[in-house]
């Protein structure tokens, strides 16, 4: 998968495969996280940057539990002691990766994409369709980052605590959208959190199943349009 080809017909190119098989995309994702960490914590030494980047790749490929600090040190070409000069332990390293990942990459871009969809699309169906399309492009472009969040957030309360304020911003923007749609008579009332769960379930389900070798090509545009239509018609007055 080429960097500019992030949606449309995915074929055999999947978000999981791209994170493992496309070294360029994986490296770009690791670099993006290192840049975000640097924005949060200040300028990093070359060794610390390599530690962060290699930790991102290792956590994405092997999972947090199966990755040791020794693994990361070997990838980064530093001593294991060098990791502990910058990070208290492996959990501290994970948290300090996910914190800027959520706060500077995943959530802000999602909020910007939602705002752009609201500004350009007159219907809830169009807003959902456009937002899912741009989120799918992000998920495939930054597959290792998405994989870390999907794999690790459910199992680490510390990560959920880091995400909570950012999820609140998403909830606030969606709440305003729903209020406007209800006031205009376009949809019936629905809890913001319930809609978010529905959208997230459909999106993650599609993201995962489209990566399975089911012997067919996935038409992202058609699948996303069907999901958006299903949700919008279910909410219509």
């Amino acid at each position: 998968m080429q960097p500019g080809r992030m949606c449309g017909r995915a074929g055999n190119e999947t978000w999981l495969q791209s994170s493992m098989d496309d070294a360029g995309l994986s490296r770009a994702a690791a670099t993006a996280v290192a840049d975000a960490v640097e924005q949060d914590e200040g300028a990093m030494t070359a060794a610390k940057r390599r530690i962060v980047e290699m930790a991102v790749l290792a956590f994405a490929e092997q999972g947090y539990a199966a990755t040791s600090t020794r693994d990361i040190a070997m990838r980064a070409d530093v001593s294991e002691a060098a990791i502990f000069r910058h990070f208290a332990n492996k959990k501290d390293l994970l948290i300090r990766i996910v914190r800027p990942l959520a706060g500077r990459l995943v959530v802000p871009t999602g909020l910007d994409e939602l705002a752009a969809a609201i500004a350009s699309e007159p219907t809830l169906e169009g807003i959902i369709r456009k937002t899912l399309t741009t989120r799918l492009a992000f998920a495939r472009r930054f597959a290792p980052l998405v994989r870390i969040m999907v794999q690790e957030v459910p199992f680490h309360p510390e990560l959920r605590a880091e995400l909570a304020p950012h999820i609140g911003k998403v909830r606030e923007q969606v709440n305003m959208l729903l209020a406007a749609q209800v006031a205009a008579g376009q949809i019936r009332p629905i809890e913001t959190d319930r809609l978010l769960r529905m959208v997230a379930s459909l999106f993650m389900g599609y993201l995962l199943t489209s990566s399975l070798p089911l012997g067919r090509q996935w038409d992202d545009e058609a699948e996303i349009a069907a999901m958006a239509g299903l949700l919008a018609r279910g909410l219509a007055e």
Side-chain angles (χ1 to χ4, degrees):
M1 185 169 78
Q2 299 302 314
R5 185 171 180 260
M6 297 179 287
C7 49
R9 286 192 178 273
N12 291 325
E13 297 164 346
T14 67
W15 76 289
L16 289 174
Q17 288 171 339
S18 70
S19 71
M20 301 301 104
D21 298 339
D22 193 317
L25 286 180
S26 294
R27 187 72 187 188
T31 298
V33 175
D35 289 344
V37 171
E38 196 161 53
Q39 290 176 36
D40 264 17
E41 301 186 5
M44 294 191 290
T45 64
K48 183 179 178 181
R49 173 172 279 271
R50 288 199 307 275
I51 291 166
V52 169
E53 291 178 351
M54 294 305 104
V56 169
L57 298 180
F59 291 155
E61 292 172 15
Q62 303 168 186
Y64 171 81
T67 298
S68 67
T69 52
R70 184 172 180 272
D71 293 333
I72 296 168
M74 290 179 64
R75 286 173 178 249
D77 194 26
V78 299
S79 67
E80 197 170 0
I83 294 177
F84 299 120
R85 283 198 291 271
H86 298 287
F87 303 95
N89 48 45
K90 188 174 70 165
K91 176 64 73 69
D92 182 48
L93 175 54
L94 177 66
I95 291 171
R96 286 164 64 184
I97 284 173
V98 171
R99 180 183 297 142
L101 170 57
R104 295 187 180 274
L105 286 173
V106 177
V107 176
T109 56
L111 290 173
D112 288 346
E113 290 163 6
L114 178 58
I118 292 170
S120 63
E121 297 289 338
T123 66
L124 181 63
E125 181 175 349
I127 292 168
I128 294 172
R129 184 180 65 250
K130 189 165 187 176
T131 302
L132 289 181
T133 298
T134 53
R135 284 288 83 186
L136 183 63
F138 180 94
R140 289 188 172 145
R141 182 180 178 187
F142 295 107
L145 314 188
V146 176
R147 189 170 186 188
I148 289 172
M149 300 204 51
V150 170
Q151 288 178 157
E152 306 305 339
V153 168
F155 303 104
H156 299 279
E158 303 94 333
L159 299 186
R160 294 198 293 275
E162 291 288 342
L163 283 173
H166 305 296
I167 298 301
K169 295 176 184 177
V170 175
R171 185 182 291 111
E172 181 180 345
Q173 193 163 356
V174 172
N175 192 47
M176 289 189 292
L177 166 63
L178 292 178
Q181 291 281 317
V182 170
Q186 299 298 312
I187 64 171
R188 56 188 172 80
I190 182 174
E191 280 184 50
T192 298
D193 284 356
R194 178 169 292 171
L195 179 63
L196 287 173
R197 287 193 298 271
M198 290 178 179
V199 173
S201 296
L202 283 173
F203 178 75
M204 291 306 300
Y206 179 70
L207 185 61
L208 292 172
T209 55
S210 65
S211 73
L212 299 175
L214 300 179
R216 59 159 292 185
Q217 288 190 328
W218 292 82
D219 186 337
D220 292 339
E221 185 177 347
E223 296 288 339
I224 288 174
M227 287 189 286
L230 178 66
L231 280 170
R233 287 191 295 273
L235 291 173
E237 282 283 333

